[in-house]
Amino acid sequence: MSDRFIQRMSRRTVLGAGLFLGTSWALKSCTAATAPSGTTQANSSSEPNAGGATGGQVVTASFPGTTENLFRDKLAPLFSQTGKGQLSVVPLLAFEQVARLKAAPDNPPFDVVFLDDGQTDIAMKAGLIQPFPADRSSGFSNVDSSFLGKQGLAPIFYMQGVVIGYNPERVKTPPKAWEALLDSNLDGRLGLVSMNSVLGTSFMVEMAKLKGGSESDIEPAFAALKQILSKVGGVAANPGALSTLFQQGEVDVAPMWHNDVLSLKAKGIPVEWVVPESGMIAARYSLNLVSKPKSGVDAAAAYVETALGKEAQSILSASPYYFVPSDKTVQLDAAITEKIGAKTSTEFIQKANVLDWATINQQRSTWIERFNKEVKV
C-alpha cells in the first residue's frame, strides 16, 4: 500500500462496508423466513398463502439508519396490531432494492419496497411493482393530491429536504448558499455522501444547476467537485454514515437531510442547519407492493395502509424522526416549521424544489460510477 493511499484513506473516512455486511445477513435471514410454501400468485389477494396473507410475515425494504429504526420500532408494532401479519425489515438503499428485484422478479426478496421518485419510475417501467388497491384505503383521503403515485401506485409516504448542516462551534460564519462549500476556510471539514444515495445525487444535480448545468448536464458539478475535493474530510456510503461522520466530529459541514440534522441536534450534537438561498431540494418516497409479493397482496397492502394511517403519519413527523408525512392534516414538528415556515406537507412541498428524476435516471448509473472513481468512495 502506497503512502499516498494511506494518506488518502486517513483523510477521507469511508463508512458503509460493515453496514452492507449486516444488510446481507439480514436479507438472508428474511429470505429464509419467507421461503415459499404454497406461495400465493400475484393479485390472488383473496387466497392467503401458507406464509400468511393474514397473520403471516411481510418483508419490507427500508433505507438504513433512521428509516430502518422507524420501521422496526414503530411501524412493525402498529402493523402487528392489525392482525394482518408481522413485519420484517431489510435495510437497503433504493437502487439496491430495485437491483435485487430485477435479479429475482418471480421470487422477490421483499413484499414491499421503499423507493424515491427516481427508482419508483425505474421499478414501474420494469414491471417490478403494482398498483395499490386504493379502494381499500382510508388513508388515501388525507393525502395531498400532488402526492398520489403514478399509474395508481401507492402515494408518497414521507418527504425530506436537502439542507446545509454545520457545526456552529467550528463554523463561525453560518453558510447561506451551496457556494459556501467552496470556502477555503472549510479545508478538510466538508462531508459528502455517495451518489448511490438520493441525497448525494440531489446535491450534485443542484450544484450543476447553480453552475449552469441541469438534470441532463451534471458536468459543471464534477468541475466544482474538483475544486472542493481537497477540502473533503469524509465521504460516506449513505446518509446514515454521513451523520456518523458528523457525530464523530470528522466533518463539520455537509449537504444533509433536514431530519438527520434535527435527530443529531436532539442527541446533543452541536449542529445547526440552513435552507440554501437557492431553495431546499425535496425528495419524496413511497412504499409500493412488488408485482408478486410472497405474503400476498392483502397482507402487503395492509402494511402500506398502516403506514398511511393517521397514527403512523403522526409518529414519523415528530421527534426523533422529523420526516414530512404525506397526510396533509398532520402538523409538522415545530422545529421544521420554525426553519422552513411550513406547517403541513402541502406547504412544505410548495417551498421546495423537486428534481426531474426521469431525466436524471438516464445517466445516473454513469454518474455514480464516475463519482466513485474520482472521489474514491
Side-chain angles (χ1 to χ4, degrees):
M1 183 181 296
S2 69
D3 292 341
R4 182 181 178 186
F5 183 72
I6 293 172
Q7 183 179 7
R8 193 178 191 88
M9 285 303 291
S10 62
R11 184 166 62 84
R12 297 192 186 124
T13 305
V14 180
L15 299 180
L19 177 63
F20 180 77
L21 290 174
T23 296
S24 299
W25 176 87
L27 182 63
K28 291 175 182 176
S29 174
C30 289
T31 302
T34 57
S37 176
T39 304
T40 303
Q41 297 298 311
N43 300 323
S44 57
S45 58
S46 62
E47 299 175 6
N49 63 10
T54 55
Q57 185 178 56
V58 173
V59 181
T60 183
S62 167
F63 300 156
T66 305
T67 303
E68 177 187 353
N69 295 336
L70 168 70
F71 283 20
R72 291 187 190 281
D73 298 340
K74 301 298 181 181
L75 292 193
L78 285 178
F79 180 52
S80 179
Q81 290 171 17
T82 68
K84 300 292 180 64
Q86 304 295 318
L87 193 66
S88 182
V89 182
V90 180
L92 289 172
L93 292 178
F95 82 97
E96 294 172 314
Q97 297 174 37
V98 172
R100 298 199 182 200
L101 282 184
K102 285 184 175 178
D106 294 325
N107 188 30
F110 330 106
D111 301 303
V112 176
V113 286
F114 186 54
L115 306 175
D116 58 272
D117 281 352
Q119 294 299 316
T120 295
D121 188 60
I122 292 173
M124 179 183 65
K125 291 176 178 175
L128 299 174
I129 53 181
Q130 63 173 296
F132 180 74
D135 57 340
R136 308 179 199 172
S137 172
S138 59
F140 245 71
S141 60
N142 290 331
V143 176
D144 187 287
S145 59
S146 63
F147 303 140
L148 296 179
K150 297 177 180 178
Q151 298 184 357
L153 299 177
I156 301 300
F157 174 49
Y158 73 54
M159 294 176 287
Q160 294 172 286
V162 184
V163 300
I164 302 176
Y166 67 97
N167 183 337
E169 296 180 355
R170 297 182 179 179
V171 180
K172 299 303 182 183
T173 303
K176 296 181 179 179
W178 291 120
E179 287 85 345
L181 301 185
L182 303 176
D183 189 341
S184 59
N185 293 324
L186 296 177
D187 193 19
R189 293 183 288 157
L190 174 64
L192 294 176
V193 64
S194 167
M195 287 188 70
N196 290 344
S197 70
V198 174
L199 174 61
T201 296
S202 296
F203 167 69
M204 288 292 287
V205 171
E206 187 69 4
M207 185 64 79
K209 294 173 74 173
L210 291 173
K211 298 291 184 180
S214 65
E215 279 94 338
S216 61
D217 177 17
I218 202 175
E219 193 59 37
F222 277 107
L225 187 62
K226 287 184 178 179
Q227 297 179 35
I228 63 177
L229 207 53
S230 62
K231 302 177 178 64
V232 174
V235 183
N238 56 63
L242 178 63
S243 291
T244 300
L245 290 181
F246 217 101
Q247 189 168 353
Q248 293 173 343
E250 297 189 44
V251 300
D252 294 329
V253 62
M256 299 180 72
W257 295 125
H258 80 273
N259 55 296
D260 282 347
V261 178
L262 290 173
S263 294
L264 288 177
K265 195 171 181 178
K267 295 176 182 176
I269 306 300
V271 59
E272 287 291 343
W273 59 296
V274 295
V275 175
E277 291 176 342
S278 55
M280 176 180 57
I281 314 164
R284 312 184 306 177
Y285 308 90
S286 304
L287 286 161
N288 271 298
L289 281 59
V290 303
S291 292
K292 299 180 179 180
K294 292 180 182 177
S295 66
V297 171
D298 275 355
Y303 160 58
V304 177
E305 172 65 5
T306 299
L308 294 175
K310 189 81 170 183
E311 186 170 0
Q313 292 278 300
S314 297
I315 287 173
L316 65 88
S317 71
S319 174
Y321 305 110
Y322 304 107
F323 293 116
V324 176
S326 58
D327 188 321
K328 61 187 178 185
T329 68
V330 173
Q331 293 292 300
L332 303 186
D333 189 272
I336 301 175
T337 300
E338 178 185 356
K339 285 283 188 180
I340 302 176
K343 295 181 180 179
T344 65
S345 56
T346 301
E347 294 179 0
F348 179 89
I349 201 66
Q350 290 173 347
K351 295 177 178 293
N353 305 322
V354 178
L355 299 178
D356 179 359
W357 285 96
T359 298
I360 292 172
N361 284 341
Q362 297 173 19
Q363 301 183 75
R364 190 181 178 195
S365 297
T366 302
W367 294 344
I368 291 172
E369 184 176 352
R370 180 178 173 184
F371 182 92
N372 290 348
K373 181 180 180 181
E374 296 186 5
V375 186
K376 303 293 185 185
V377 174

